[in-house]
Amino acid sequence: MSQNFIAIDGFNFYYGQSKCLKNITLGIAPKEVTSIIGPSGCGKSTLLRCFNRMNDLIPNTRIEGTIHIDGQNIYTPDVDVVDLRRKVGMVFQRPNPFPKSIFENVAYGLRINGVKNKEFIAEKIEQGLINAGLWNEVKDRLHENALRLSGGQQQRLCVARALAIEPEVVLMDEPASALDPIATAKLEELIVELKKKYTIVIVTHNMQQAARISDITVFLMQGELIERGKTSEIFTRPTKKITEEYITGRFG
Amino acid sequence: MKSYKKAQTKFLEQVVGFGFLRLCMLIILGILSVIFFDIISKSWGVITWEFLTQSPRNGMAEGGILPTIVGTVLITIITAIFSVPLGMGCAIYLNEYAGTGKLTRLIRISIRNLSGVPSIVYGLFGVALFVEAMHFGTCILSAGLTLGLMTLPWTITASEEALKGVPMSYREGSLALGATQWQSIRTNVLPYAIPGMLTGTILGLARAAGETAPILFTGAAFALPGLPKSLFDQFMAMPYHLYIMSTQHHAIEIVRPIAYGTALVLILVVFLMNLSAIVLRYHLRKSRQE
Ligand SMILES: Nc1ncnc2c1ncn2[C@@H]1O[C@H](COP(=O)(O)OP(=O)(O)OP(=O)(O)O)[C@@H](O)[C@H]1O
Ligand SMILES: [Mg+2]
């Protein structure tokens, strides 16, 4: 894959005075899975949240540099953020189902984007929940409040909700951190499957997971991009010593 | 292990702590029940069907207090129509759109301060603005609007608190799905904030219903022959009537039971409003949890 779908160039991000991302330059190819790994607090979530401009909501933040998605600079004033977020879906680090029914949670994205056709919505919801590996557990209780689901079920519901509007990019921030091994395996299968249609960027603390599902791995540390490479290479012969130390758990 | 407190000491501390808190509660409860008991015992014989459905007679020494009930209800409705939508709208703007700049902070501080302005000052302002500048005269409309101004800071503050109670993740979640900010607020913030907003608002209205000072110069009358016929008529109101009956009447000793009766009805009306706030919130919360 030569052409980058997401291109980050000389990108800095500030929370107030503190510089959280430092001169990041990175290309993300379409229809591949890219993992972002790195120690806690290094800026993985921050970087991910720049791709759909979620950080706009946090006061006193500032950026420098550019991010292009599908050839368009997403930080120019004429960009329609609503449109951007419809194209760039996100599963948050903490499951955040709405206190509505399971059905309404998944239908939410469709409804606000103007879909009215009931059969179409029902079909999308079933498909989304099947994709997220949740259908069998919830098919008899679709109209129950989603807050009654377990943490792991809630996270899969958020995956289903993000997929229902068929974005082009799917951002996942530690989607498996609340899942048991079986659900994790299902989610990983799903991610590999989703790769056919979507460009996926996933943040994970689980090295095996990054190794299993991603094509490209990016290692961040203290806001700096240390290394980016094919997953197979990063995990077998990283070029930097610090990367190797982190991956093998001999870090710090 | 030595540095840990002994279980016995901890237990004692707990007993003393809870004991003190319980005492505070009992004192307050005691004061409240004395007031309530006093009013009820002195007004018990007065509250009859006639008292609630007839106008005062014989220089207000006999008859009922119907015009005052009607007056209070009418101005409270005006107050609600004016201050509920305006207050909620202002709170939504401040909390969801205004950001965190210096100007927003200044506006917010001003609103907090306004809620501390004495009600008589609002009364004076009401005269200047509604009665004179806008030529409404002393009437139901002027008094209702004055009370509305007075309750606005309360409504705004209570509504803002309710909006703050809605987790940020609801907003983020819907925005991340491509909702516009207004869609996100309408479908994913307001439904969860409305119960709290309404409760705060109704409590503010209940307070307004019992105020005398703001209506004193803006439309409340000492005594009127009949019920008001339009919003531009003067009116009688319970709190003002109570004030007259206890300090201004020519035969204060004789009309004392009427004063107490008025007090009880006023308390009941305010209590009913508070109760309806609680019931409303309970039902809204429950319907959200289904
Ligand atoms: N809203 C915020 N305001 C100020 N600083 C923040 C904010 N969010 C994050 N930070 C800071 O930015 C840095 C990067 O945070 P970020 O959440 O991106 O880390 P992360 O790599 O996702 O960590 P983790 O693996 O623990 O989720 C941290 O030092 C954090 O304290
Ligand atoms: Mg994170």
Side-chain angles (χ1 to χ4, degrees):
Chain A
M1 302 265 173
S2 55
Q3 194 64 38
N4 287 326
F5 194 69
I6 305 178
I8 304 127
D9 204 9
F11 193 79
N12 298 320
F13 185 88
Y14 300 83
Y15 286 112
Q17 295 302 312
S18 84
K19 194 171 183 178
C20 173
L21 295 175
K22 296 164 195 161
N23 196 21
I24 306 270
T25 297
L26 171 69
I28 292 172
K31 314 228 161 123
E32 283 192 349
V33 178
T34 303
S35 303
I36 302 178
I37 59 170
S40 183
C42 70
K44 305 180 295 294
S45 298
T46 306
L47 179 60
L48 207 64
R49 290 164 56 96
C50 285
F51 296 156
N52 62 349
R53 289 186 50 177
M54 224 51 204
N55 288 326
D56 289 15
L57 304 179
I58 303 173
N60 297 321
T61 56
R62 192 159 60 81
I63 66 138
E64 288 160 358
T66 60
I67 296 181
H68 286 80
I69 294 184
D70 203 7
Q72 187 186 29
N73 184 346
I74 61 165
Y75 274 99
T76 52
D78 60 319
V79 166
D80 182 357
V81 186
V82 169
D83 213 41
L84 171 73
R85 291 180 185 144
R86 216 203 63 69
K87 285 201 319 207
V88 183
M90 174 163 233
V91 178
F92 290 82
Q93 183 160 4
R94 291 188 203 95
N96 62 340
F98 307 138
K100 306 176 190 293
S101 71
I102 294 167
F103 187 93
E104 282 306 322
N105 261 277
V106 189
Y108 187 86
L110 297 169
R111 290 200 203 283
I112 55 165
N113 285 300
V115 180
K116 294 241 163 58
N117 186 331
K118 285 209 177 90
E119 280 133 52
F120 180 78
I121 290 178
E123 204 174 288
K124 280 279 161 216
I125 286 171
E126 178 169 349
Q127 200 51 50
L129 288 169
I130 289 174
N131 279 341
L134 192 60
W135 177 249
N136 284 332
E137 284 152 77
V138 301
K139 63 172 185 269
D140 302 318
R141 44 192 286 215
L142 286 176
H143 296 284
E144 248 178 56
N145 195 311
L147 296 184
R148 290 200 202 135
L149 296 173
S150 74
Q153 289 173 327
Q154 289 185 0
Q155 192 60 300
R156 280 178 282 155
L157 182 68
C158 293
V159 173
R161 189 174 72 186
L163 293 181
I165 54 170
E166 304 194 328
E168 292 167 27
V169 180
V170 182
L171 310 171
M172 296 187 177
D173 199 345
E174 295 182 43
S177 58
L179 301 188
D180 66 34
I182 298 169
T184 303
K186 274 194 206 151
L187 184 72
E188 289 180 5
E189 261 171 50
L190 168 67
I191 291 172
V192 173
E193 180 68 26
L194 289 176
K195 193 168 86 166
K196 292 179 192 151
K197 283 169 75 183
Y198 305 95
T199 303
I200 297 168
V201 186
I202 175 170
V203 169
T204 178
H205 279 294
N206 181 331
M207 295 305 121
Q208 287 81 28
Q209 184 171 63
R212 277 193 300 266
I213 59 174
S214 61
D215 304 291
I216 302 291
T217 297
V218 176
F219 177 50
L220 282 190
M221 215 174 82
Q222 291 177 359
E224 285 179 69
L225 194 153
I226 306 292
E227 193 166 351
R228 170 205 180 274
K230 286 218 170 80
T231 300
S232 50
E233 281 166 21
I234 289 248
F235 278 92
T236 49
R237 20 174 215 291
T239 55
K240 300 242 168 62
K241 188 149 175 33
I242 187 106
T243 314
E244 187 188 341
E245 281 178 355
Y246 181 75
I247 288 168
T248 53
R250 277 184 283 122
F251 178 78
Chain B
M1 288 301 281
K2 262 217 181 106
S3 60
Y4 287 115
K5 276 186 186 162
K6 275 206 194 111
Q8 223 174 350
T9 333
K10 280 166 74 179
F11 181 71
L12 206 69
E13 277 175 3
Q14 164 148 324
V15 169
V16 171
F18 280 154
F20 176 71
L21 297 177
R22 198 167 290 145
L23 192 70
C24 293
M25 194 267 296
L26 284 176
I27 291 175
I28 290 171
L29 212 63
I31 297 173
L32 275 180
S33 25
V34 167
I35 295 176
F36 213 60
F37 183 78
D38 183 55
I39 292 176
I40 289 181
S41 66
K42 287 180 178 155
S43 62
W44 194 243
V46 185
I47 309 269
T48 57
W49 185 241
E50 280 68 40
F51 188 72
L52 296 176
T53 55
Q54 289 188 3
S55 294
R57 269 177 289 126
N58 247 346
M60 301 204 293
E62 285 171 34
I65 56 164
L66 178 67
T68 72
I69 300 177
V70 171
T72 291
V73 169
L74 284 178
I75 54 170
T76 308
I77 290 172
I78 299 288
T79 306
I81 292 174
F82 175 68
S83 74
V84 173
L86 209 58
M88 286 187 178
C90 182
I92 293 171
Y93 179 78
L94 275 181
N95 201 57
E96 306 294 325
Y97 288 99
T100 51
K102 277 217 179 72
L103 186 65
T104 321
R105 225 173 310 151
L106 190 70
I107 293 176
R108 205 168 269 142
I109 290 172
S110 313
I111 290 173
R112 296 278 195 284
N113 277 329
L114 276 181
S115 64
V117 170
S119 54
I120 188 85
V121 177
Y122 280 101
L124 215 57
F125 183 73
V127 174
L129 181 65
F130 302 120
V131 177
E132 283 169 3
M134 297 174 88
H135 299 293
F136 292 160
T138 48
C139 63
I140 293 176
L141 189 61
S142 296
L145 292 177
T146 307
L147 283 177
L149 279 186
M150 190 193 78
T151 48
L152 261 183
W154 288 57
T155 315
I156 296 171
T157 309
S159 301
E160 253 205 286
E161 291 308 317
L163 287 167
K164 285 209 182 77
V166 178
M168 200 55 201
S169 64
Y170 295 2
R171 298 178 178 86
E172 287 193 337
S174 59
L175 292 174
L177 290 166
T180 62
Q181 200 177 358
W182 172 238
Q183 279 179 322
S184 157
I185 291 170
R186 189 170 51 79
T187 60
N188 233 10
V189 177
L190 282 187
Y192 312 113
I194 287 267
M197 288 171 113
L198 282 181
T199 320
T201 303
I202 296 178
L203 291 180
L205 289 179
R207 192 187 89 131
E211 277 288 344
T212 315
I215 61 175
L216 199 56
F217 326 127
T218 52
F222 191 88
L224 289 172
L227 295 176
K229 294 189 180 54
S230 88
L231 290 183
F232 294 99
D233 283 352
Q234 290 196 320
F235 60 97
M236 294 174 76
M238 280 189 279
Y240 187 43
H241 192 62
L242 181 53
Y243 165 68
I244 294 164
M245 290 315 223
S246 34
T247 64
Q248 308 290 301
H249 200 268
H250 59 83
I252 286 178
E253 289 307 320
I254 297 172
V255 296
R256 181 111 313 157
I258 297 186
Y260 273 103
T262 312
L264 185 64
V265 176
L266 181 57
I267 289 179
L268 288 179
V269 167
V270 170
F271 177 72
L272 270 179
M273 289 176 78
N274 291 349
L275 191 71
S276 66
I278 294 168
V279 172
L280 191 68
R281 180 176 52 182
Y282 175 78
H283 279 288
L284 285 172
R285 291 252 160 95
K286 218 173 96 182
S287 69
R288 288 277 151 230
Q289 251 136 52
E290 235 93 89

